[in-house]
Amino acid sequence: MSGTVSKFEAANCAVSEQVLDRAKNSLAGGDSSTMRVLPYHIPLVADRAEGCRLWDVDGNEYIDLNMSYGPLLLGHRPKAVIESVYRQISEQGSQLGFPTEVTMRVAEKIKKLFPSIELLRFANSGTEACASAVRLAKTYTGRNKLIMFEGHYHGWSEAVFTKYHAPLEELPEKGYGPAIPGTSGMGDSIKDVITVQWNDLDALERALAEHGDEVCAVMMEPISGNAGLLMPHDGYLATVREMAHDCGALLIFDEVITGMRVSPGGAQEHYMVSPDITVMSKAMGGGYPVSAFGASAEMMQCIVKGPLFHGGVFSGNAIVMSAAEAVLDTVLADKEGIYGHLHTVSDQLANGVKDIYSRLNIPAQVNHLGPLIAAMITKEETEGLYNYRDVRRHADFERYIQFQHWMQQRGVYFHPNEFEPMFLSTAHSSRDIDEVLERWEEGARQCLVR
């Protein structure tokens, strides 16, 4: 993607631009995540947020369709989370350095939503939890090879960080092949990874026929959330599980994005397919840095009794556990009401965008499930987008950036990278979505009609 930001597009973000310029003297690139300071990203330094709204240091107000890349299931600054964290900090302490009851309670509540988990461990990020899940699979099976999928992202640790948005010409013609390292400076463990085309059972079958007796696990996002929100074909997840088990391998679901989003129990509840190992993060923390990985009690004995080590000074710390408990309590108290609302506003936005694109003859693919939405602009009409290669081949990334710039200038924020989905929260109302759709239609007429 080669889009840039013009002086006109940056006109209402002068203070943000100044702050970022200053930050570059101390922070590499101006921030601690490249995804927040991409060269085609209109400068935006956040000042404050509440509900579904965010304000930058220039005073611009936005309806936030990013929700911090997914964690804010209850919106910005939800009262229940604030009160729980404040009570923990002021009455008991932030980091105690010993086991705490709140950690135990949160684990118990997660198990109510994810029956496939008998025992779990907490970590601080999706990357950490994914890395531990892979180590668990390798330890339990005694095997080293790992099958993953093109376009899926499982964090940036040594064992799993592939070039998940690789150019098409770098991908193997036969539908599977050795993983492409995601960055310079990596060690040799990535050589144990085979990447396979998503939603392609034939490619997976061929990969398992060649490597099956060495494979510890098949690891996937059950909904491909880092390649434009791609849904699995009917029966795909269950068949992959069966194929993995047939060759003695495990199934790992990375539910960092989908966990507690598409349903209370994540994609595994929605599709009724239980993985052997589950990874979750984002929505469970209400904006605080937390993750978890869990499996059967038998499998987790690898940690309980050794030889697998898992630790971390901040893993399961009291602050994030108090935030997670508030989110879990809210969900457990009213699952039907919460997810009913999330699906209602999501359907309203997705169907409204589909209608706009249809009436204006704009080629696009709008995918959504619950409060996860991708409104992908394509170069031409296409029957469907089912895997990363389809998205890479058909998505119109440059026009999407132009459209995102227009929308950001008019007070609606979503990420300018077309691979990134949008996230809604319980704080988004039908009126908010009406406001978004009004601007969406105007922006589509201005930027997308040919």
Side-chain angles (χ1 to χ4, degrees):
M1 284 161 275
S2 58
T4 57
V5 179
S6 69
K7 289 184 178 180
F8 172 76
E9 291 170 326
N12 64 343
C13 60
V15 179
S16 289
E17 194 166 23
Q18 290 170 9
V19 172
L20 286 172
D21 284 342
R22 176 185 170 191
K24 290 174 183 176
N25 294 319
S26 304
L27 293 163
D31 191 69
S32 291
S33 173
T34 299
M35 290 301 291
R36 295 194 286 258
V37 285
L38 293 165
Y40 53 86
H41 207 155
I42 294 177
L44 194 165
V45 175
D47 178 55
R48 61 188 174 89
E50 184 172 1
C52 71
R53 306 269 172 162
L54 181 142
W55 290 263
D56 65 20
V57 292
D58 291 272
N60 299 310
E61 177 182 339
Y62 306 92
I63 298 175
D64 186 0
L65 302 182
N66 188 53
M67 288 286 109
S68 193
Y69 297 87
L72 304 178
L73 184 71
L74 307 180
H76 291 281
R77 296 166 57 198
K79 184 178 179 181
V81 173
I82 291 172
E83 290 178 346
S84 183
V85 170
Y86 177 78
R87 186 166 55 249
Q88 179 66 46
I89 293 173
S90 61
E91 297 178 9
Q92 294 174 282
S94 60
Q95 172 71 343
L96 301 173
F98 294 94
T100 58
E101 285 190 77
V102 66
T103 307
M104 173 197 70
R105 294 196 303 269
V106 172
E108 291 172 343
K109 290 166 184 176
I110 288 173
K111 288 174 58 179
K112 290 181 180 180
L113 297 179
F114 291 81
S116 67
I117 296 176
E118 293 180 342
L119 290 176
L120 60 95
R121 277 286 180 97
F122 290 108
N124 301 292
S125 68
T127 290
E128 287 183 33
C130 284
S132 295
V134 170
R135 285 181 177 176
L136 176 60
K138 290 183 176 182
T139 301
Y140 184 75
T141 63
R143 301 174 174 184
N144 284 324
K145 286 195 179 293
L146 177 69
I147 286 182
M148 292 171 24
F149 295 90
E150 296 168 0
H152 291 210
Y153 174 69
H154 305 295
W156 43 266
S157 69
E158 290 288 294
V160 296
F161 187 34
T162 66
K163 195 171 184 179
Y164 61 107
H165 289 161
L168 289 173
E169 62 270 17
E170 295 184 16
L171 300 177
E173 290 185 12
K174 62 182 179 179
Y176 73 95
I180 304 170
T183 181
S184 61
M186 292 182 69
D188 291 338
S189 59
I190 197 68
K191 293 180 180 179
D192 288 326
V193 175
I194 302 113
T195 53
V196 180
Q197 182 166 271
W198 169 249
N199 264 335
D200 184 342
L201 290 173
D202 290 339
L204 178 60
E205 184 177 30
R206 293 194 300 272
L208 288 172
E210 183 176 347
H211 301 286
D213 58 352
E214 302 174 89
V215 172
C216 69
V218 177
M219 185 175 192
M220 67 165 74
E221 300 174 58
I223 296 171
S224 184
N226 284 280
L229 199 64
L230 308 176
M231 308 300 167
H233 290 318
D234 289 345
Y236 179 75
L237 299 181
T239 305
V240 171
R241 175 186 165 92
E242 182 180 348
M243 292 169 68
H245 287 183
D246 283 347
C247 69
L250 305 173
L251 176 64
I252 303 174
F253 274 2
D254 176 351
E255 296 233 42
V256 167
I257 289 176
T258 53
M260 293 180 66
R261 268 215 165 265
V262 297
S263 67
Q268 58 193 266
E269 177 186 353
H270 178 78
Y271 291 109
M272 295 185 292
V273 176
S274 294
D276 299 296
I277 304 174
T278 296
V279 176
M280 55 188 302
S281 181
K282 293 200 175 186
M284 66 181 283
Y288 287 75
V290 63
S291 64
F293 66 100
S296 68
E298 177 189 355
M299 202 174 301
M300 294 297 280
Q301 294 306 306
C302 294
I303 295 174
V304 175
K305 297 180 179 179
L308 178 60
F309 174 79
H310 173 260
V313 169
F314 292 104
S315 295
N317 72 79
I319 292 179
V320 300
M321 289 294 99
S322 64
E325 184 168 41
V327 175
L328 285 158
D329 283 346
T330 302
V331 167
L332 287 166
D334 186 20
K335 287 192 285 188
E336 186 174 335
I338 286 172
Y339 288 89
H341 173 78
L342 289 170
H343 281 263
T344 295
V345 292
S346 175
D347 290 347
Q348 181 186 353
L349 178 57
N351 292 334
V353 171
K354 288 178 184 177
D355 177 64
I356 291 168
Y357 287 163
S358 176
R359 285 188 287 104
L360 299 180
N361 295 314
I362 297 168
Q365 289 284 312
V366 181
N367 297 337
H368 89 290
L369 180 59
L372 277 172
I373 302 172
M376 293 176 282
I377 300 162
T378 54
K379 297 170 186 174
E380 66 286 309
E381 292 291 347
T382 182
E383 180 182 346
L385 304 175
Y386 304 110
N387 55 54
Y388 166 73
R389 298 189 192 201
D390 288 343
V391 177
R392 190 80 188 195
R393 187 175 294 114
H394 297 292
D396 195 332
F397 295 98
E398 303 305 326
R399 291 176 75 217
Y400 189 87
I401 291 170
Q402 294 170 14
F403 176 64
Q404 189 277 338
H405 286 183
W406 194 97
M407 292 293 284
Q408 182 172 331
Q409 290 176 294
R410 274 75 179 179
V412 176
Y413 181 81
F414 51 88
H415 199 276
N417 188 328
E418 195 160 17
F419 284 128
E420 294 288 325
M422 289 174 264
F423 300 88
L424 298 184
S425 73
T426 59
H428 288 86
S429 69
S430 179
R431 184 175 297 180
D432 294 319
I433 303 305
D434 283 340
E435 191 174 339
V436 169
L437 289 172
E438 183 179 341
R439 298 179 197 179
W440 202 291
E441 176 150 5
E442 186 182 354
R445 290 182 182 279
Q446 292 288 330
C447 304
L448 302 178
V449 173
R450 289 171 171 166

